[in-house]
Amino acid sequence: MSIKVERKENTSKFLGLVVNRTVFFAVVGVVIFSVGFTLFFEEQADHYFGIAQTYVSEHGGWIYTLAVNLFIVFCLYMAFSKFGSIRIGGQKAKPEFSRWAWFAMLFSAGIGNGLVLFSIADPVRDFLNPPRLAGEDPVLIAQEAINFSFLHHGIHGWAIYSVVGLSLAYFTFNRKMPLTLRSVFYPILGNKIYGWMGNLIDIMAVITTLFGLATTIGFGVGQINSGLTHVFGIPSSLFYQVVIIIAVTLAGTISAFSGVNKGVQMLSKLNVRVASAIFFLVLILGPTTFILSAYIQNIGSYLVNFIDMSTWTESLRGTDWQKTRTIMYWGWWISWSPFVGTFIARVSKGRTIKEFILGVLILPALVTFLWFSAFGGTTMRDILLGDTAMVAAVGENISTALYVFFDKFPFAMLLKVLGVILISSFIITSADSGALVVDSITSGGKLKTPKYQRVIWAASTGVIAAVLMYGGGLNALQTVVTISGLPFAILLVMMCFSLYSGIKEDYEKKQRKEKLIEKEDYRKNILQLVNKDREERGDHSNQSKDNNE
């Protein structure tokens, strides 16, 4: 369809806030109902959420598997096709942030404390409960455990973020449309995005973002509390976890108040620097040669088995490992994609499509693989050598695994302190960047809103997390976020077609315009040559007459 954007103002003022009232009130209502239901009817919530999760895993797993692989193919096509040179914001647009700051922000928003929490826990759990090689050589089981960790935390997840981020960035900065999920579907829905369909898309995006953030904060504070127990002897209890939530929320609120250029950028750079310090200390103090050689081997094994693992659906085995592990991760990545994708779009103006894809899809995955090779790979080596300390730590509480791992190294106390700082900073970054994204969507895509409006959303995520921690509802909400990924997977597939349609039409218009300009220039050049030839003939004729006289 031909895209002729008809912009409609969907925002209005409410108690000094700039909001889309339909989206704002719907989100507030759903949040209050969901938190209240989970808090007062915990057992019933767990029961029904569990039934829903089982149904989604059994009947929708193939949709997840097909979709996440489609996203990788789509992203690579966009990067290396004729569209790769298109610049977000137009050919004259310049990046707002340096490459270093840009990568730090997108990496911090996209990976969060999951990098720290699962880099040891996942390989150990997959080694103890192998997906496909039970009873085989332990070395083969250990390698496949690493391979599946790469699968769950690598290119597939970042492809999801890339689709959302690129789509939003293009329609926002190239089409000058609001920075909301509804804008991306204009080529498919047309002006219907300004009605109930668009409102529904934005409501789903905000709800999954809020609950995803709240759940992450809730589980992240458990890891912070475990670190404080190891370092300072502070007891691990609900009281201290709520205190940590308050502290994290306050820090996130302050950062959100300062905006992207200050608070978010500063915290993102801090995340990368602290993570780099931890990694290099582990690399230098630990088995250096093993980590570097394992990194190369792990990437090779991952690539060799890439298609097999990416398309495996357990259809002939009759087991449920993939349903409770891989499908859970795909749902989790997709549920986070509105938040992370919107934030990545917000900071990516001035990048070419090729630069965007390589920066968002490939580079974070390579960094993640290096981290997992250092932490998960070293743990696998120790287990194969007979050290069961990490097995016991993961079995007892995955939040403590990192600190038990640090006990093996010199300067263990320093590593533990840095670990607590890194986890805290990751969670704060997620809270403040999430607040900026939710604020943008609920305000109808406004990039500039009153600062206290961001503060409200930053504080809201902390309040939701604290209430759920008190009521024991985090597990139920994690399940809800996972379930909500299925309809979003379908929306993301539609988003790919919509983005391709929009970019193709713009590209063809540009090509036609360039051809017209080329024809006009050609016509002008011909006229100039003809006029020049006439002038020369006229001069030659006049000269001949003079000579005859």
Side-chain angles (χ1 to χ4, degrees):
M1 65 181 290
S2 179
I3 301 177
K4 184 178 180 181
V5 180
E6 179 184 333
R7 295 177 179 82
K8 296 183 180 180
E9 187 62 50
N10 286 321
T11 59
S12 59
K13 293 238 177 150
F14 173 71
L15 298 178
L17 305 177
V18 180
V19 297
N20 178 322
R21 293 198 176 203
T22 302
V23 175
F24 179 81
F25 286 119
V27 168
V28 171
V30 171
V31 168
I32 293 174
F33 173 79
S34 301
V35 172
F37 179 72
T38 312
L39 184 61
F40 295 108
F41 302 98
E42 179 186 349
E43 294 184 3
Q44 293 91 330
D46 286 339
H47 174 71
Y48 289 113
F49 291 155
I51 293 175
Q53 184 183 35
T54 301
Y55 186 86
V56 167
S57 298
E58 290 181 353
H59 301 283
W62 67 273
I63 298 177
Y64 275 125
T65 302
L66 182 63
V68 295
N69 287 292
L70 173 65
F71 299 149
I72 293 177
V73 174
F74 177 77
C75 288
L76 293 177
Y77 170 77
M78 294 302 295
F80 295 102
S81 68
K82 59 187 178 182
F83 304 131
S85 61
I86 295 175
R87 190 172 297 277
I88 297 171
Q91 290 303 111
K92 296 182 179 181
K94 295 182 179 180
E96 187 177 356
F97 307 97
S98 66
R99 280 195 176 94
W100 157 247
W102 176 62
F103 175 75
M105 286 191 287
L106 71 88
F107 185 78
S108 297
I111 201 64
N113 62 311
L115 179 71
V116 184
L117 182 61
F118 298 115
S119 58
I120 295 173
D122 272 9
V124 172
R125 289 189 295 181
D126 294 347
F127 178 80
L128 298 176
N129 180 26
R132 304 187 296 186
L133 300 178
E136 298 290 335
D137 184 348
V139 174
L140 296 178
I141 296 175
Q143 183 63 66
E144 183 162 79
I146 295 293
N147 290 346
F148 270 99
S149 292
F150 279 21
L151 176 72
H152 296 153
H153 299 274
I155 293 175
H156 286 83
W158 286 99
I160 296 169
Y161 290 166
S162 298
V163 167
V164 180
L166 179 60
S167 300
L168 282 166
Y170 185 82
F171 281 93
T172 299
F173 295 115
N174 292 68
R175 288 294 186 90
K176 311 302 181 185
M177 298 184 72
L179 182 61
T180 64
L181 267 292
R182 71 173 72 202
S183 297
V184 177
F185 296 94
Y186 195 95
I188 297 177
L189 301 177
N191 288 324
K192 291 180 181 178
I193 66 169
Y194 298 109
W196 69 268
M197 289 185 181
N199 289 334
L200 181 61
I201 292 171
D202 284 347
I203 290 168
M204 291 175 62
V206 174
I207 290 172
T208 54
T209 297
L210 284 174
F211 286 133
L213 286 171
T215 306
T216 298
I217 292 172
F219 282 109
V221 297
Q223 198 174 17
I224 296 175
N225 201 170
S226 298
L228 295 176
T229 300
H230 273 71
V231 177
F232 303 109
I234 296 175
S236 182
S237 66
L238 177 61
F239 171 77
Y240 286 106
Q241 289 176 8
V242 172
V243 171
I244 294 170
I245 288 177
I246 295 172
V248 167
T249 303
L250 179 60
T253 300
I254 295 172
S255 179
F257 186 82
S258 62
V260 175
N261 291 305
K262 295 181 180 178
V264 177
Q265 184 176 181
M266 180 186 69
L267 281 172
S268 299
K269 289 181 178 180
L270 175 64
N271 294 339
V272 174
R273 286 167 180 159
V274 175
S276 299
I278 293 175
F279 170 77
F280 283 113
L281 284 173
V282 170
L283 179 67
I284 295 170
L285 300 175
T288 307
T289 302
F290 169 80
I291 292 173
L292 296 177
S293 62
Y295 180 52
I296 298 173
Q297 175 178 306
N298 292 338
I299 289 180
S301 181
Y302 166 70
L303 293 176
V304 167
N305 295 281
F306 182 83
I307 296 178
D308 178 38
M309 292 190 302
S310 300
T311 56
W312 181 55
T313 60
E314 269 184 325
S315 58
L316 298 178
R317 296 179 64 91
T319 54
D320 60 358
W321 185 95
Q322 197 248 8
K323 296 180 180 69
T324 57
R325 299 282 289 155
T326 304
I327 298 304
M328 183 277 292
Y329 271 115
W330 295 160
W332 192 252
W333 281 94
I334 290 172
S335 295
W336 261 57
S337 63
F339 148 52
V340 179
T342 303
F343 182 76
I344 293 175
R346 171 67 181 81
V347 299
S348 296
K349 184 178 181 180
R351 309 288 171 188
T352 64
I353 289 179
K354 184 176 182 179
E355 182 183 9
F356 180 96
I357 295 297
L358 295 179
V360 179
L361 178 66
I362 305 299
L363 192 55
L366 291 176
V367 173
T368 301
F369 295 163
L370 183 58
W371 184 279
F372 269 76
S373 296
F375 290 80
T378 300
T379 300
M380 288 293 98
R381 186 200 68 156
D382 293 345
I383 291 175
L384 292 174
L385 293 175
D387 187 350
T388 60
M390 294 309 302
V391 174
V394 172
E396 180 181 352
N397 184 359
I398 63 173
S399 295
T400 64
L402 178 70
Y403 307 108
V404 175
F405 177 81
F406 286 151
D407 283 332
K408 302 172 181 286
F409 295 85
F411 309 108
M413 187 62 69
L414 173 62
L415 286 168
K416 290 178 182 179
V417 171
L418 290 175
V420 172
I421 294 173
L422 178 63
I423 297 166
S424 303
S425 184
F426 267 136
I427 295 175
I428 294 170
T429 304
S430 297
D432 60 12
S433 54
L436 291 169
V437 168
V438 171
D439 179 40
S440 175
I441 297 176
T442 55
S443 66
K446 301 290 185 183
L447 295 180
K448 293 183 179 181
T449 57
K451 290 185 177 181
Y452 64 86
Q453 194 163 311
R454 306 172 210 158
V455 172
I456 293 174
W457 290 117
S460 297
T461 56
V463 172
I464 294 171
V467 171
L468 295 176
M469 286 289 291
Y470 177 79
L474 277 172
N475 289 328
L477 264 295
Q478 185 184 26
T479 304
V480 169
V481 172
T482 303
I483 295 170
S484 68
L486 185 60
F488 251 99
I490 298 172
L491 277 178
L492 293 186
V493 173
M494 294 172 60
M495 188 178 293
C496 292
F497 287 104
S498 185
L499 175 62
Y500 174 77
S501 176
I503 289 181
K504 181 183 178 183
E505 181 172 358
D506 287 348
Y507 184 84
E508 290 176 349
K509 284 182 178 179
K510 182 182 177 183
Q511 292 293 103
R512 289 195 296 269
K513 184 177 180 181
E514 289 178 351
K515 287 182 180 180
L516 288 174
I517 294 174
E518 185 178 339
K519 288 181 180 179
E520 182 64 21
D521 290 341
Y522 178 77
R523 189 183 70 82
K524 289 180 179 179
N525 289 333
I526 293 296
L527 287 175
Q528 289 178 355
L529 290 174
V530 170
N531 292 332
K532 184 177 180 182
D533 183 64
R534 288 176 178 174
E535 291 176 358
E536 289 178 351
R537 287 182 180 181
D539 291 342
H540 181 72
S541 176
N542 293 333
Q543 187 176 0
S544 297
K545 289 180 179 180
D546 292 339
N547 291 335
N548 291 331
E549 291 176 356

